[in-house]
Amino acid sequence: MVRAAILPAVGAPLEIREIVLPDPGPGQVRVRLAAAGVCHSDLSLADGTMTVPVPAVLGHEGSGTVLSVGEGVTHVAPGDGVVLNWSPSCGECHHCSIGEVWLCAKALSGVGAVYAHDAAGTPLHPGLNVAAFAEETVVAANCVLPAPAGIPLAEAALLGCAVLTGYGAVRNSARVRPGESVAVFGVGGVGLAALQAARIAEAGPIVAVDVSPAKEELARAAGATEFVLASDTTAKQIRALTGGQGADVAVECAGRAESIRGAWDSTRRGGRTTVVGIGGKEQKVGFHALEIFHFARTLTGCVYGNSDPARDLPLIAGHVRAGRLDLGSLITDRITLDGIPAAFEAMLAGKGGRSLVVFQPAAS
């Protein structure tokens, strides 16, 4: 029996209860969680913006220690530190065959499975494959990656989503070059990672945009050289900060129609707008045909930072070990499982960066 945060139904409050986990079967790994990040995608699953079978244990950004492995698992062993990978690639579908592993057709094939039961015997599904909002979890072997050496295991949880997504949006999707101007819309966990990635890429100026003035200090610590409070004059302010042209690259991390449109409007003619934020179907963004022709901007979606975790995780870890990327600065609150509902409320209110659920090590 382990404690977990269960979503009993879409739109219902999370419930902290005990669940029963099975031993790992063939091709599975049991992990004791060290930490789990509270991501906006978890909120999107809870409120129905994204669909998930329920009841489910949410949480997709995590790290921990392998407790046991099933038959056929050889890349990790009991005692190994691991980072959870919520979007594993199958290596066989069309997208995997052309190197677009972040678009794997089978990446979320595990979410409909029953992976555990509550104390009453009710079947539970693993939200986004890994069910990290629990003291322990059982996952498919391709959902665990060896934790990079030299990085605190709890902080390594952020590598599983926020950092791969934010860093990847800048490096893999927008392909920011030295000296280019970058505007990042939304200073949450992913936005803070994108700001750090822009700084690592030697971009400049780097403009952070958020609805909360309290985010300025966080943004500047991450690498922003300028901060703009989101309003109907945001695009005008960014043009003034970029020689009248607009940003070479705008990265949208909020998933709202107005911020996507604001990012587009803030991008220079011929520039690149990358949308990372996950918005609902009701968030409609409009463009007229003449502006698409006239501005010649590129608008792209970005899934998981267009990242290949096996390729990108070692690269990001190198930046962390060298002091170029600071995982700790992304974390504004360290909480327990019971603090997740309050972390959801903080996200809705636009407060803070990443909340990190830190689990107590098991008694020896």
Side-chain angles (χ1 to χ4, degrees), residues 266-291:
S266 300
T267 305
R268 68 166 174 83
R269 289 188 75 187
R272 288 106 65 202
T273 306
T274 294
V275 178
V276 181
I278 302 172
K281 294 179 180 178
E282 77 284 356
Q283 297 287 324
K284 305 294 185 181
V285 186
F287 308 91
H288 61 72
L290 182 59
E291 71 178 298

Side-chain angles (χ1 to χ4, degrees), residues 9 12 22 24 27 30 91 114 116 133 140 162 172 179 193 195 269 298 300 358 362:
R30 183 163 179 154
V114 172
F133 287 169
N172 302 327
L195 288 168
R269 289 188 75 187
T298 301
T300 59
V358 180

Side-chain angles (χ1 to χ4, degrees), residues 42 45 52-53 56-60 86 110-111 115 125-132:
D42 297 309
L45 291 168
V52 63
V57 176
L58 301 184
H60 62 279
W86 65 269
V111 300
Y115 94 110
H125 302 283
L128 289 187
N129 284 323
V130 297

